[in-house]
Amino acid sequence: SGGGAEGSTLFQSPAAVGGWSLFLFSLLLYATPSMTFSLKNCTISYSENPSDMSVMCFNYSLVSIPDDIPRNSTTLDLGMNSISTINTTDLRNLSKLKFLCINNNMVFEVNDGSFADLEQLQTLLMDANQLTNLTDHILKTLQLKSNRLQNPLRRFSITRDKFPHLQSLDFTKCTYNIEWDVANTTFLRSLTSLHLSGLQINLATYRVMINSTDSLQTLVMSSMGTGLAKHLVHVSCFKPSLRILKVQFCEIHSVDDNLLQPCYRLTELRITASQMSKMSEQSLSSMTRLRVLGLIGNWLPKVPLTVRGLSTLETLALNSNHITELNCLDFANMTKLKELDLEYNYIFRLQECVFQNLQNLRVLNIGKNSIFALENSFKVNMQKLEILNLRSNDAMSFKRGEFRNLSSLRFLDLQSKIRYIVYNNAFEGLDHLQALSVSTYRYKKELFHGLKHLQNLTLHLTFHWNWMRSGLNNDPPFSSLPNLKRLKLKVYNRLLFTHIYPDLLSGLDCLEDFSADNFFQKAVHPDTFKYTPHLQSLQIIYCELSVLPPELFHHIPKLQVLDLSKNNFRSLDFLAQSNLMELSQLIITENKLSIINETIFLMLPSLRYLDLMDNPLTCECTNAGFNLWVHYNTQTQVVNGYQYPCAFPVGEQGRKFLDFDAHSCWVDASFICFISTSSLIVFVLFTSLFYNSLRWHVVYAYYLFLAFLYDTKNRKRGVHYQYDAFISYNVQDEEWVYREMLPVLEGEQGWRLCLHHRDFEPGKPIVDNITDAIYGSRKTICVISRCYLQSEWCSREIQMASFRLFDEQKDVLVLVFLEDIPSWQLSPHHRMRKVLKKRTYLSWTRFAPQTGLFWQNLNRALRTGDKEKDPDRGKNIKHVVIFREKRNLL
């Protein structure tokens, strides 16, 4: 094995304590009949809204649509795969799906009815596939609002009114000269947005496409040559309904006075990445309704003069150009401007007058330039500015009161790889600031003074932190930010941070989200979060942590998200005693976890999302419990669980963790010994119980079975009786039999009697002798005494004779009582009691004075049922002896 779990052994894995525990654990998993949340090829994106389920299958090398997509999915992304065909059953039962993306695949065929169940689908994206034909039979029942069909289509045909709600069509990557067949322009009556692209589609086809859309409001043109692009712009602007025109990657280079003159109805114009370096001074003069202008990603060296006359403009985007300087007149007439984007240029200075007329500006982005000085440019009248981005400029400095006039500012970004100099009280006057991201070379407690309403702070630490000690500074570092809800601390040089004191977060009672990136050094004090009882999200990454004290989490019982990625954890046992009852997301990617104790997750009852990617998992029985838990748990989604590779042992490398057969771990030596020993004990107990309680029932059943076979055989053969009666008696009563019975029955009356000591065949099994004697005699006379009742063989004889009695329904059994026996002594002999209730019997003691009458009655009993000697055969003699109280005998 390549690693082992460290920490407490309070919660051991089932695999660690033997196959029996693993077996029981697997039964618990199987007992819940519900769908597992770990998909084989996709990931369910976490959402607070249970009705919003997004399934991401992006870039999984899929060749077909997975069959385990949850039926309640609302978003499905299958982009960047190798899917070639969409079959009729691939998307069946996904009735709640609203967004479907199949971009960048190899789809060349879509079977009819493939989208039949997608009743709520609003957006279908099929960019970069190989579809060459699309008809209304393919999308027969869709109620689409937008559709991007970026494929090498050769024909687009709509012959029936099947898309009354279709609002958008995107042919951006349909590079072939497409055949456009729309029988009636009303079929696309709801279409308001059209995306066109390609050098191989001629102007005439583009004209037909545009003329088929009477309600067209937005036209996007991509990847066209200079001539085609300018002609199409000129043509499209004559369409009365058009309001938004976007031109991108079209190599326009320059715009003269005439190109955009017909576009006076436009409210939004964007020319993006078109190598445009020049615009004439009157090129936008006709656009008196223009509110949004985007000239992004071009080669403009300065702000075009033509924009100065756009007094209706509300949004101006000039980012990613070659602008080096701003003139005081560049935005002079834009009094309605609300958003200005100048990011990614080469501006090196800001004059004080540049923004002086932008009283309504809300958003200003001048990040990623080369500005080194502000020169009081923010001390002008910009009372409505809410967002200011100054990130990644040169080494700037911000003095006290630099932003004092920006009283409405809510977001300020001062992050930079080159640390800024922020003087004390630089943020004075920002009473409404809610979010601040700042890089600074030093820190003092006065830095954040005046930011009592700040809720989000990202601090990029490039200075030495060690001087901040509780003993030297009575005020903790963030004590002046009582309303702070989110705090992120990112360290770029860990050597500058030698010790972190436990009162770091003192005063942050409202903190809900804390992130430490490269901040802690291999340990976190148990009282670090003592002052943040409302913390809901905690991220500690790049800190080389290998263990955390469980007490650390006792102060934050409301924690819902925990991210411990990019550390050195080998065990998660500390979570077992963390008492995180509300934790729903756990992310521990890129650690050193090889053996995972799955019982820990039973201590996290609210866990819904678990990400353990990039850990060196062991594919052995020590991980069998975790393997089964990932397979069968029905509450927690293990993100990309089916993609986890085996790191150990070496022979398993190249296989997937969930391909390891954990069921084989059930059968081990301890489990076999347990089953064997248990079976032996049960067998011994059952045998003992059977011997003591039921052995005579089995023996009796055996005898009855032999009697049944013997009787059946004799019936078939028609065997004649050898004896008149078989005498069944106990050896203690043998003297009476020879002295009293034999002289009368054999000597005087002439009956042929069978006695066991005289007539049983020597060497023959006693059971066979008894059976032959009973079935070879017309009658069986049982001489009953107390000794008889205690004899095992006598008991068998009467039982077998009684079976013959009930089977043949004849008077074949005669009972002779040598002594009076109370009924309580007869109660254990239920078979004899049953016979006494139905048959006659003789009592020797009652006839003792008159033995002659006794022998006479016995003679009559022997004659009953005899055809040769009994003249009254057929008359059933029921009463042989009259006695005073029958109940005394019973």
Side-chain angles (χ1 to χ4, degrees), residues 81-86 102-110 125-134 138 148-155 173-176:
N81 286 290
S82 300
I83 300 172
S84 59
T85 304
I86 301 178
I102 319 179
N103 291 344
N104 296 285
N105 277 272
M106 302 171 64
V107 178
F108 67 89
E109 181 181 7
V110 179
L125 308 182
M126 296 185 68
D127 301 12
N129 282 283
Q130 298 179 11
L131 281 174
T132 59
N133 187 28
L134 183 63
I138 295 177
R148 290 169 59 180
L149 301 172
Q150 299 180 356
N151 298 272
L153 285 177
R154 297 184 182 277
R155 183 170 181 266
K173 296 181 181 179
C174 300
T175 54
Y176 292 100

Side-chain angles (χ1 to χ4, degrees), residues 279-342:
M279 298 185 72
S280 68
E281 187 172 351
Q282 300 298 321
S283 57
L284 303 177
S285 59
S286 65
M287 298 187 180
T288 57
R289 305 177 185 178
L290 198 64
R291 295 198 300 268
V292 178
L293 175 61
L295 304 174
I296 304 170
N298 288 286
W299 296 349
L300 296 172
K302 61 181 180 179
V303 179
L305 294 177
T306 187
V307 304
R308 296 183 181 181
L310 301 177
S311 58
T312 59
L313 209 59
E314 297 179 358
T315 299
L316 176 59
L318 294 168
N319 45 310
S320 300
N321 277 281
H322 296 168
I323 300 174
T324 58
E325 188 175 2
L326 298 179
N327 189 283
C328 291
L329 298 177
D330 284 341
F331 315 110
N333 297 321
M334 300 182 188
T335 56
K336 295 183 179 180
L337 195 65
K338 296 180 179 179
E339 297 184 23
L340 176 58
D341 191 347
L342 295 165

Side-chain angles (χ1 to χ4, degrees), residues 427-447:
F427 304 119
E428 185 181 81
L430 299 181
D431 298 333
H432 296 91
L433 193 67
Q434 297 180 0
L436 172 63
S437 178
V438 59
S439 302
T440 179
Y441 86 105
R442 64 178 182 175
Y443 177 90
K444 287 187 177 181
K445 63 180 182 180
E446 294 83 8
L447 182 62

Side-chain angles (χ1 to χ4, degrees), residues 635-655:
Q635 171 178 295
T636 305
Q637 178 198 178
V638 183
V639 181
N640 295 317
Y642 283 86
Q643 311 305 319
Y644 293 172
C646 293
F648 304 104
V650 177
E652 295 293 325
Q653 291 181 358
R655 295 185 60 193

